[in-house]
Amino acid sequence: MASTVASLSTPATFAAADVLPRRKVAGRVWFPMARRGGFAVRSSGPATPPEISDKVSDSIKKAEETCADEKGSGECAAAWDEVEELSAAASHARDKLKENNDPLENYCKENPETDECRTYDN
Amino acid sequence: MAICSAHTTTSLHSPCTTVSNTGFRQKQVIFFTSNRRSGRRHGGARTFQVSCSVEKPVVIGLAADSGCGKSTFMRRLTSVFGGAAEPPKGGNPDSNTLISDTTTVICLDDYHSLDRTGRKEKGVTALDPRANNFDLMYEQVKAIKEGQTIEKPIYNHVTGLLDPPEVITPPKIFVIEGLHPMFDERVRDLLDFSIYLDISDDVKFAWKIQRDMAERGHSLESIKASIEARKPDFDAYIDPQKQYADAVIEVLPTQLIPDDNEGKVLRVKLIMKEGVKRFNPVYLFDEGSSITWVPCGRKLTCSYPGIKFAYGPDSYFGHEVSVLEMDGQFDRLDELIYVESHLSNLSTKFYGEVTQQMLKHADFPGSNNGTGLFQTIVGLKIRDLYEQIVAERAGAPAEAAKV
């Protein structure tokens, strides 16, 4: 919602925008995703915080060791489940960094009334 | 609207008593600004009687495996309701809860009974019911549904430990998302609407490669090993829940590209249960008919591999359902608008609302395909369901008292 003037981008493919009520398309608009490489976008985002990154790689090593002797055991499944849990946590942490890495957006969250944070919907 | 708007500063912290007035069969909330006795002695001047129902949230369940798009769905859903969802302010930075003006989303991992060490010792995964406290889950979801505040544990996904609890107050819409929202019958019965995200093995593998490949220590082998090791528990405890869902979003590889294994183009099905109260399935052209539709042609130019829709009645775990299917992806805005204009029963408030929502979150995964489209539609359906419930409560207080 709190998009700023600065974050507006207008791609060339936006020709049909006037079909919609103008007010409704104001905001951050990138379209289509396809041009940006589908869901491979994440790899260009921020890196995982090191404390989580270390845990992920440690958990993989441990899972491989655990499953070397007893594949199919509960311990093996639990070890790989830990890998999944940490990988998901790493992904969420990267998303959080991505959300919080626009200094203007962050400033405007705290100071929505200032001139540089005004949004013009109409 | 079931909202108590009349309050004073002190009433926020004073006990809120619910009195069942049998004459009107309407629930009333009484705020005491001072203690009961002095309030009465001063002729009741300090006693506010607010004639409204206690906030009784509509409860929604969302089930899916880890890494299958629950978070994205939640962001789309809360956006349909208006306002962004944020973690609780000033709380545990590792809280899994998201709060917006209308909606609170909690993660059911918070009801793990075994922490990471405990699961490792016992050799059980988080998917296993033995690692989860369904009694507490039931008690707390029930309490929220009755309008009570709860203190919910926090499972910390980074440390793998259970952190001190956080306070959750009843919102208008309460969403429980996680691995087991429909596993326990008692919890399931509390849900006003339920959704299952069913990601096929091929797509799950492709998504996890996208998510994890860049992560240090991960490789194709480790990603595959993790999916395989978790699969028996997933099949035993998570997958069967889809039979209870009111709506299932099934994500499959495309059929438009022969032997596609990239997992970039998707075929997505929205399976909608018939006969669910307050839920009217979306349809294409003619309700109840079987239709295949390729929107690309003279009127609409699509790029490779195009877009294909299908709609029709079907049976799902013995239930009568309507299935809407989209294969392919939107490459241009006018494709999305064109498709939206041909769908009916969308529960939009104005023409183009689906397109608007999709554009608003064009940076979310799936905004150019059926996952984003159907998540948005389900969001609109939930908003509609919520508004129906609110209208029913306002129109028939006697009925509301029974809920």
Side-chain angles (χ1 to χ4, degrees):
Chain A
M1 282 301 252
S3 59
T4 63
V5 177
S7 68
L8 273 171
S9 67
T10 315
T13 49
F14 203 56
D18 45 3
V19 175
L20 288 177
R22 258 190 74 72
R23 194 173 64 81
K24 303 302 177 193
V25 289
R28 207 176 329 204
V29 178
W30 295 313
F31 204 86
M33 276 289 287
R35 299 277 156 82
R36 304 174 66 235
F39 41 81
V41 172
R42 248 185 210 144
S43 53
S44 61
T48 309
E51 67 272 20
I52 305 179
S53 192
D54 291 346
K55 280 182 187 250
V56 174
S57 50
D58 286 351
S59 70
I60 295 169
K61 264 182 230 147
K62 265 186 228 152
E64 283 165 351
E65 284 164 23
T66 309
C67 298
D69 353 301
E70 15 181 3
K71 205 176 177 182
S73 69
E75 284 71 20
C76 169
W80 279 116
D81 188 44
E82 183 181 330
V83 174
E84 171 55 34
E85 185 172 287
L86 287 164
S87 305
S91 165
H92 286 148
R94 287 195 299 272
D95 284 347
K96 235 183 227 175
L97 287 175
K98 198 161 61 181
E99 267 169 41
N100 297 334
N101 67 0
D102 183 341
L104 183 61
E105 289 285 357
N106 284 338
Y107 173 75
C108 291
K109 240 181 221 170
E110 303 298 319
N111 307 283
E113 301 315 314
T114 51
D115 273 351
E116 52 271 59
C117 296
R118 274 202 196 159
T119 54
Y120 299 89
D121 274 353
N122 279 310
Chain B
M1 286 282 257
I3 311 156
C4 305
S5 53
H7 59 257
T8 62
T9 314
T10 45
S11 75
L12 290 172
H13 304 287
S14 61
C16 174
T17 317
T18 308
V19 179
S20 226
N21 185 326
T22 46
F24 294 97
R25 300 201 64 184
Q26 183 174 6
K27 293 215 169 178
Q28 294 180 317
V29 186
I30 302 173
F31 294 113
F32 295 98
T33 52
S34 57
N35 69 54
R36 204 174 275 237
R37 229 178 240 175
S38 71
R40 281 191 185 148
R41 201 170 286 162
H42 289 92
R46 294 187 188 182
T47 307
F48 291 87
Q49 264 208 351
V50 185
S51 183
C52 68
S53 315
V54 176
E55 185 84 72
K56 289 216 175 140
V58 171
V59 184
I60 311 291
L62 172 68
D65 195 9
S66 163
C68 288
K70 289 191 296 282
S71 314
T72 306
F73 189 12
M74 281 304 110
R75 285 156 81 197
R76 285 192 204 281
L77 181 69
T78 49
S79 169
V80 167
F81 285 109
E86 310 254 357
K89 287 200 174 66
N92 184 335
D94 288 322
S95 163
N96 305 306
T97 304
L98 287 173
I99 299 175
S100 76
D101 293 347
T102 53
T103 314
T104 296
V105 183
I106 65 155
C107 172
L108 295 178
D109 289 350
D110 290 335
Y111 294 105
H112 282 340
S113 54
L114 296 173
D115 63 11
R116 193 174 287 156
T117 316
R119 293 197 299 271
K120 213 180 282 179
E121 280 167 2
K122 293 216 160 63
V124 295
T125 67
L127 308 160
D128 194 311
R130 287 174 292 171
N132 296 280
N133 186 344
F134 287 102
D135 291 341
L136 184 63
M137 190 193 292
Y138 166 64
E139 276 165 28
Q140 297 209 328
V141 176
K142 185 166 176 277
I144 281 281
K145 194 164 181 172
E146 286 168 355
Q148 293 163 27
T149 295
I150 57 168
E151 282 194 27
K152 181 189 59 55
I154 298 176
Y155 177 73
N156 188 318
H157 289 92
V158 179
T159 62
L161 298 168
L162 285 156
D163 286 351
E166 62 185 353
V167 172
I168 304 287
T169 52
K172 293 192 176 83
I173 297 147
F174 187 62
V175 185
I176 57 170
E177 60 99 343
L179 295 164
H180 306 95
M182 286 97 91
F183 184 85
D184 185 286
E185 195 183 349
R186 298 166 300 169
V187 179
R188 199 160 68 222
D189 288 345
L190 293 171
L191 302 175
D192 294 294
F193 195 78
S194 54
I195 309 121
Y196 185 92
L197 301 182
D198 189 5
I199 314 303
S200 70
D201 287 348
D202 291 343
V203 176
K204 205 184 266 191
F205 188 46
W207 283 4
K208 290 196 175 171
I209 290 171
Q210 290 296 334
R211 187 192 69 182
D212 296 337
M213 219 27 200
E215 194 66 59
R216 185 159 44 85
H218 260 303
S219 60
L220 278 180
E221 287 70 37
S222 63
I223 294 165
K224 203 165 160 232
S226 178
I227 292 176
E228 277 171 5
R230 296 172 75 252
K231 195 166 164 35
D233 280 359
F234 176 83
D235 289 344
Y237 310 120
I238 312 304
D239 193 65
Q241 293 177 91
K242 63 189 182 193
Q243 65 187 292
Y244 306 115
D246 298 315
V248 176
I249 296 179
E250 205 174 292
V251 186
L252 305 150
T254 183
Q255 288 180 335
L256 298 174
I257 307 168
D259 304 317
D260 176 72
N261 50 14
E262 264 192 285
K264 276 188 184 166
V265 182
L266 301 173
R267 179 164 71 104
V268 187
K269 284 182 173 186
L270 174 58
I271 301 160
M272 300 164 280
K273 217 177 245 181
E274 290 289 341
V276 176
K277 202 180 169 193
R278 308 184 190 99
F279 174 53
N280 299 313
V282 176
Y283 66 88
L284 182 64
F285 299 125
D286 183 28
E287 197 167 10
S289 299
S290 292
I291 288 156
T292 310
W293 180 49
V294 178
C296 319
R298 196 169 290 155
K299 279 192 199 161
L300 188 74
T301 327
C302 304
S303 51
Y304 182 81
I307 300 172
K308 189 175 173 183
F309 272 82
Y311 163 78
D314 204 345
S315 168
Y316 189 77
F317 290 96
H319 296 287
E320 202 187 319
V321 294
S322 285
V323 181
L324 178 65
E325 178 183 320
M326 174 184 166
D327 197 350
Q329 55 191 32
F330 300 112
D331 213 14
R332 291 147 39 116
L333 182 62
D334 49 352
E335 295 167 357
L336 182 48
I337 294 167
Y338 193 73
V339 165
E340 177 175 356
S341 66
H342 286 81
L343 292 168
S344 301
N345 256 356
L346 283 170
S347 303
T348 48
K349 298 218 169 188
F350 53 87
Y351 173 67
E353 191 177 13
V354 172
T355 304
Q356 182 221 346
Q357 283 294 332
M358 296 275 282
L359 280 178
K360 197 167 162 188
H361 304 297
D363 54 332
F364 289 6
S367 290
N368 60 340
N369 64 38
T371 63
L373 177 67
F374 294 160
Q375 286 177 2
T376 304
I377 290 174
V378 171
L380 292 166
K381 284 288 161 193
I382 292 172
R383 183 181 68 186
D384 188 51
L385 175 120
Y386 167 74
E387 286 172 354
Q388 287 182 55
I389 292 176
V390 169
E392 284 163 23
R393 283 179 189 168
E399 286 299 313
K402 284 185 211 159
V403 173

